[in-house]
Amino acid sequence: MGPREVGGRAVDAVRRRRWRSAPPAGPDVTGARFTAVLPAGTIAAVPPDAAKRLVADADRLMDGHAVFFGVDRDDLVDPDWFHDPKTGRRAPLSHAFDVPYRDEEAVGDIKQIWELSRHHHLTVLATAYALTGDERYAERVAAHLRSWWAANPPLRGAHWISGIELGIRLLSWVWIRRLLDGWPGAAALFEDNPRARHQIWHHQRWLAAFPSRGSSANNHIIAEAAGQAAAACAFAWFPASARWRADALRSLDRQLRSNTFRSGLNRELATEYHGLVLELGLAAVAEADAARVPVPATVRLVLLRMTDALAAVVDNRLRPPRQGDADDGHGLVVDGAGTDRWASLLATGDAVFGRLPWWPEVTGTDVRTPLLAALVQPYARVAAAPAVTRPARRPAHFADAGLTVLRGPGEIWCRCDGGPHGFLSIAAHAHADALSVEVRHDGVDILADPGTYCYHGQPEWRQYFRSTIGHNTLELDGGDQSGSGGPFLWTRHARSRVLVADTTGGNTARWCAEHDGYQGSVHRRRVELDTATGELRITDEVSGPRRAARLAFHLGPAISADLAGNRARLTWTRDGEDRSAVLDLPGQLEWRAHRGASDPPLGWYSAGFGRKEPATTLVGGGFADGTGPSGEFTTVLRFGDRP
């Protein structure tokens, strides 16, 4: 931490001690009204199939059923807001600042506890009411909100610990009120309800007092600013509302620019957080536009660049890279299961910014796009929006982020990582994955990024999924390229640099990069993709003294592998069609296949937070000697039946 951050955290500590006394009652508000309603005709614009998916999810919720991070719940008719269904533990209702939320033995899995209280399930139920007019959905929303408000007085318990939780919860409440607007009980639930006003005021007071700072100013502060801005626009009932709104929009502007490369990619280099930040930014702009509050021009500009960058990096099935941490976090949920998150964001980007000719086609439908598009002013119609030159062709190399995408025949997609280790001094959501590659064929993971799986409570699994051996890259001397000091702290960062990124010329797309994470040695990797045949060649070079080496290639969960010596035959099925590839591995290394090992972990794939499944990992062990022939290893991937 720098001196400014240390000083800010000291101020926070003093304020926390002062806030241990009874929370203030808050201002006495009368005559509050909610005016940020959806324009007429918005609900009618929702595609029928998207509405059907949403209502099906709402009906499951009405029956008490949902799945959070791979855990089935059947207690959602009348939930216990502090119960963790994974461990069976219950978080204590002590002062918020005393809850040891990272101690699973004392609290349970805090992500399980927090997720339900983001109230995304209530935005789903409220959307179902807006779509159908069935008051059962609205009544269940009201019962849950009254239950939550009664069980969670200000500064008591686990739900008052983290600013990102408060910010996202405020955003949910704004949309719940909007979507329930036709229900006769909406005003009595919100603006005419002293307890609701008390909660909304205390949430905003908390966010104004304890913003994420310095080394922690990543996606969390975006959520805090977005939630604060949304609430201060839609629930502008308090003396401090104008100040909170102005401060939040300034913070959102500053932090969006800080958190985003000029190319449009998120600086955390964790793709799911790119999606989360984009969702949060669009939702905040929607509230400001609905309230006719001016938005800093650069907010829209950053969101436009983020949308173009997303369109550039997805594969042919609209899947972005699986890079860095991913915890299934969403800013606003108004869609049912089966709705493609990334297609939805691109559809919203089309409505708000306009698609470019090279954008991939979006054929799916969603609920969120027509709702947001009804509130957000199209970029071209915003008088203060800065002129911007958007990419004339689909970008393949993002120099500032060190991310390069090579594309070949048969919808081959290869992501190469030569970027910074992570964002800010602690690089909280980074993985030790320098020079890793990720390869897909028609959207199927061939050489896969294994994912994240967990944050708290299972340190050996947290360590594995963000380790060097947990990625498609080279490990030396059994250690990570970057040094970890905790589950969200990197004390030493490998420095990478891209040497070649040639994605447009001739019949071969080329990439080359190196990193210095292994003291005394340099790992350099070249990747060449034959754009005519689809052959992919990966060459690893190590300069420096002789060291123990392990080279890992993680196969996707759909891939079956038959390893014989240093050749692996890969097979899978896509859309009912059998497909195959051959992976010729470096002969200097001794190769073994691992699948579903737990001691230590090796051979796993996490499709989403809290979920993991066995998958084959090929690991070659031996030595790397920069002074001899064992200093270079070549791997060749060929698709189809060619030898």
Side-chain angles (χ1 to χ4, degrees):
M1 298 182 191
R4 177 177 292 183
E5 182 178 356
V6 171
R9 290 181 182 269
V11 170
D12 288 349
V14 171
R15 183 173 288 127
R16 284 190 174 93
R17 285 199 297 270
R18 193 167 66 243
W19 278 32
R20 286 182 176 276
S21 59
D28 183 16
V29 175
T30 58
R33 292 291 177 265
F34 183 84
T35 59
V37 298
L38 287 171
T42 299
I43 295 300
V46 174
D49 58 332
K52 183 178 179 179
R53 290 194 302 271
L54 181 283
V55 172
D57 262 16
D59 288 340
R60 284 190 289 271
L61 287 168
M62 290 294 290
D63 290 336
H65 295 281
V67 178
F68 294 108
F69 307 137
V71 177
D72 290 307
R73 296 191 64 158
D74 60 4
D75 60 340
L76 297 192
V77 171
D78 183 16
D80 180 343
W81 303 105
F82 304 97
H83 174 66
D84 166 27
K86 190 177 85 173
T87 65
R89 297 187 179 96
R90 193 172 188 274
L93 190 62
S94 53
H95 195 284
F97 303 145
D98 295 334
V99 177
Y101 66 97
R102 288 179 174 164
D103 183 352
E104 190 169 290
E105 292 296 320
V107 175
D109 185 336
I110 195 62
K111 287 284 289 179
Q112 287 286 346
I113 294 168
W114 277 344
E115 186 66 17
L116 185 64
S117 287
R118 289 187 172 187
H119 290 170
H120 292 320
H121 73 295
L122 299 185
T123 54
V124 168
L125 290 172
T127 307
Y129 166 76
L131 291 169
T132 67
D134 188 334
E135 295 191 0
R136 294 180 306 117
Y137 301 119
E139 289 162 356
R140 179 64 57 81
V141 171
H144 277 209
L145 284 178
R146 291 190 174 105
S147 167
W148 196 93
W149 290 332
N152 290 274
L155 298 179
R156 303 295 297 179
H159 300 303
W160 291 90
I161 297 171
S162 176
I164 187 174
E165 304 305 316
L166 277 73
I168 291 177
R169 193 156 51 239
L170 279 176
L171 194 56
S172 292
W173 291 353
V174 168
W175 275 91
I176 290 166
R177 175 60 186 88
R178 171 176 292 124
L179 292 162
L180 294 185
D181 190 62
W183 181 51
L189 180 62
F190 278 94
E191 56 265 32
D192 294 340
N193 182 352
R195 177 167 276 173
R197 297 196 305 266
H198 183 68
Q199 285 275 350
I200 293 167
W201 183 81
H202 272 285
H203 272 65
Q204 294 185 86
R205 175 178 180 257
W206 194 107
L207 290 172
F210 300 111
S212 294
R213 300 180 184 275
S215 59
S216 297
N218 51 15
N219 62 87
H220 283 232
I221 199 166
I222 302 290
E224 294 161 11
Q228 181 80 298
C233 287
F235 302 141
W237 306 330
F238 310 107
S241 290
R243 173 171 55 83
W244 286 338
R245 181 172 60 236
D247 290 348
L249 287 172
R250 278 195 298 269
S251 176
L252 183 66
D253 179 32
R254 182 171 62 253
Q255 299 303 332
L256 275 175
R257 286 184 281 116
S258 174
N259 276 256
T260 310
F261 288 112
R262 185 171 178 81
S263 65
L265 290 178
N266 183 266
R267 285 183 183 269
E268 292 196 78
L269 294 174
T271 310
E272 281 212 5
Y273 287 110
H274 182 107
L276 173 63
V277 168
L278 183 53
E279 288 174 2
L280 291 166
L282 289 168
V285 170
E287 296 310 324
D289 285 355
R292 295 180 174 80
V293 171
V295 176
T298 43
V299 168
R300 298 181 199 269
L301 178 59
V302 171
L303 297 176
L304 182 153
R305 286 176 173 159
M306 291 182 72
T307 307
D308 280 343
L310 176 62
V313 299
V314 295
D315 64 20
N316 68 304
R317 302 279 179 149
L318 302 185
R319 293 180 62 217
R322 283 168 52 88
Q323 183 177 19
D325 272 348
D327 72 348
D328 296 358
H330 289 264
L332 174 65
V333 178
V334 289
D335 274 288
T339 301
D340 187 316
R341 174 186 198 171
W342 308 104
S344 171
L345 279 169
L346 291 176
T348 303
D350 185 1
V352 174
F353 304 117
R355 72 185 312 276
L356 294 172
W358 54 261
W359 273 30
E361 292 294 329
V362 176
T363 57
T365 61
D366 68 317
V367 175
R368 186 175 60 190
T369 289
L371 300 188
L372 286 177
L375 300 177
V376 179
Q377 296 183 55
Y379 192 85
R381 299 181 193 171
V382 179
V388 58
T389 301
R390 299 171 69 184
R393 298 175 59 186
R394 188 176 201 171
H397 176 58
F398 296 80
D400 47 12
L403 185 149
T404 306
V405 177
L406 310 180
R407 298 177 189 269
E411 303 297 353
I412 296 170
W413 176 98
C414 174
R415 187 261 300 178
C416 304
D417 177 13
H421 174 62
F423 182 48
L424 301 174
S425 60
I426 64 173
H429 291 298
H431 290 186
D433 58 355
L435 310 196
S436 64
V437 297
E438 188 182 0
V439 180
R440 299 178 193 154
H441 186 277
D442 195 14
V444 175
D445 290 313
I446 309 299
L447 303 182
D449 184 298
T452 299
Y453 178 54
C454 66
Y455 282 170
H456 303 288
Q458 298 173 280
E460 71 281 8
W461 290 101
R462 174 65 171 152
Q463 191 280 330
Y464 167 69
F465 274 99
R466 63 183 199 144
S467 68
T468 297
I469 197 64
H471 294 83
N472 298 316
T473 188
L474 182 71
E475 176 201 78
L476 294 183
D477 289 344
D480 289 335
Q481 311 149 334
S482 297
S484 173
F488 296 98
L489 171 64
W490 294 94
T491 55
R492 177 177 54 81
H493 299 190
R495 293 175 300 177
S496 302
R497 62 173 183 150
V498 176
L499 305 174
V500 176
D502 180 4
T503 62
T504 58
N507 291 327
T508 303
R510 295 180 174 87
W511 174 86
C512 180
E514 64 184 20
H515 77 83
D516 65 356
Y518 298 118
Q519 298 174 1
S521 298
V522 172
H523 174 205
R524 177 177 292 181
R525 168 170 277 185
R526 300 194 308 273
V527 178
E528 298 174 317
L529 175 63
D530 188 315
T531 56
T533 67
E535 178 179 290
L536 185 75
R537 183 175 295 266
I538 302 170
T539 304
D540 292 291
E541 301 175 20
V542 179
S543 63
R546 178 180 170 89
R547 306 177 75 164
R550 288 198 297 174
L551 181 60
F553 290 107
H554 299 261
L555 307 182
I559 308 302
S560 296
D562 181 10
L563 177 65
N566 67 319
R567 168 168 284 193
R569 296 188 178 276
L570 314 181
T571 56
W572 67 98
T573 301
R574 180 57 150 167
D575 297 333
E577 177 185 344
D578 292 336
R579 304 188 184 186
S580 64
V582 173
L583 187 63
D584 283 321
L585 302 158
Q588 308 99 305
L589 302 175
E590 183 178 343
W591 289 90
R592 292 183 59 191
H594 305 261
R595 186 177 180 87
S598 298
D599 188 19
L602 189 60
W604 295 91
Y605 180 93
S606 174
F609 197 80
R611 294 175 285 152
K612 69 180 190 298
E613 60 185 299
T616 301
T617 297
L618 305 174
V619 178
F623 291 90
D625 186 347
T627 63
S630 61
E632 181 173 305
F633 309 106
T634 299
T635 304
V636 181
L637 176 63
R638 301 180 180 90
F639 291 95
D641 297 326
R642 288 174 286 104

